[in-house]
Amino acid sequence: ENVKSKILNLAIQGKLVPQDPSDEPAIELLRRINPDFKPCDNSHYENLPEGWVECKISDICKVVMGQSPDGKTVSQTDGVEFHQGKLAFGETYLTNSDVYTSAPTKITEAHSIVLCVRAPVGIPNITERRICIGRGLCAISCSPAIELKFLFYCLQTLQRYFENLSTGSTFNAISGDVVKNAVIPVPPLQEQHRIVAKIEEFLKLFKESVDFLN
């Protein structure tokens, strides 16, 4: 976990792969998508490379908070696959649930991120299929300016941030505004692809080394 954390922190600081001056700056792509886009006023990350920009998650993604369906519509046989929390979370991808609902309330489309908003908060997973989410999760869908896997790894670096902002007497939880207002660094899209490839190269190499030693 320490090695992974170090790799991810280097990645979001722009220190994992070299920059390419020919890459389109992130702010230009963001302003093509939304001419009214404005980067964050206050810097949350120090000394980011040229071409990177900081923005709130809500500036670059759509965030939908989960809502549990009527219990009478929930079964183990019929309807849309239903997830309430992280029970079916994998290392990266959401695994199958054996719970379904015939009257889904909040839908997460395929190729989105689901994030735990109730204890334990701040843990992300990627869903490759359309699902229904309950109150323990929120859905984050990407704009064309951010690569899904890059956002996934970026969110992993924010887990402590989300934990620190969680509240609750019975169990810790974070609101939709906490998720939406979280600030992330956004590199040029081409660099995002290179960063993801390098992260996964390192993690694969590290896993193979651990397996060999064991």
Side-chain angles (χ1 to χ4, degrees):
E1 287 302 315
N2 287 336
V3 171
K4 183 177 181 181
S5 177
K6 180 66 174 178
I7 291 170
L8 296 183
N9 283 322
L10 289 172
I12 65 169
Q13 294 173 45
K15 297 178 180 179
L16 197 62
V17 300
Q19 281 70 53
D20 185 340
S22 67
D23 288 343
E24 178 185 35
I27 196 165
E28 292 185 12
L29 176 56
L30 285 163
R31 284 178 173 162
R32 278 213 317 278
I33 295 169
N34 175 15
D36 297 324
F37 170 77
K38 295 180 181 179
C40 289
D41 294 333
N42 299 320
S43 178
H44 292 253
Y45 298 87
E46 295 182 359
N47 302 319
L48 288 179
E50 191 75 22
W52 289 46
V53 67
E54 294 178 47
C55 63
K56 296 179 181 179
I57 286 179
S58 59
D59 290 331
I60 199 167
C61 302
K62 180 181 178 182
V63 178
V64 175
M65 301 300 289
Q67 181 180 341
S68 299
D70 188 321
K72 296 177 182 178
T73 73
V74 175
S75 71
Q76 293 183 308
T77 56
D78 183 44
V80 176
E81 187 177 337
F82 174 55
H83 291 260
Q84 179 74 294
K86 68 175 290 289
L87 186 62
F89 274 31
E91 186 173 342
T92 302
Y93 294 99
L94 193 69
T95 63
N96 292 318
S97 167
D98 59 357
V99 181
Y100 300 86
T101 173
S102 57
T105 45
K106 296 294 183 177
I107 291 290
T108 303
E109 297 298 337
H111 311 299
S112 300
I113 290 176
V114 285
L115 180 74
C116 287
V117 294
R118 292 191 174 191
V121 302
I123 300 175
N125 242 213
I126 296 173
T127 177
E128 298 182 291
R129 58 198 178 278
R130 186 174 183 264
I131 61 170
C132 173
I133 57 171
R135 288 177 293 178
L137 300 171
C138 78
I140 305 175
S141 53
C142 300
S143 80
I146 190 162
E147 208 251 29
L148 180 67
K149 275 282 194 75
F150 178 81
L151 178 61
F152 168 75
Y153 289 123
C154 195
L155 286 170
Q156 289 190 319
T157 70
L158 292 177
Q159 186 175 351
R160 182 168 294 180
Y161 167 83
F162 288 132
E163 289 173 347
N164 290 338
L165 292 179
S166 64
T167 58
S169 55
T170 306
F171 48 79
N172 290 341
I174 51 175
S175 67
D177 285 341
V178 168
V179 179
K180 292 174 183 177
N181 291 325
V183 175
I184 58 174
V186 181
L189 188 59
Q190 299 91 331
E191 187 172 347
Q192 292 178 41
H193 297 317
R194 296 195 298 272
I195 289 171
V196 168
K198 183 59 70 173
I199 289 173
E200 297 190 340
E201 177 187 333
F202 278 138
L203 293 181
K204 180 175 182 290
L205 180 62
F206 182 70
K207 184 178 184 301
E208 288 174 350
S209 300
V210 170
D211 290 344
F212 174 78
L213 292 173
N214 289 335

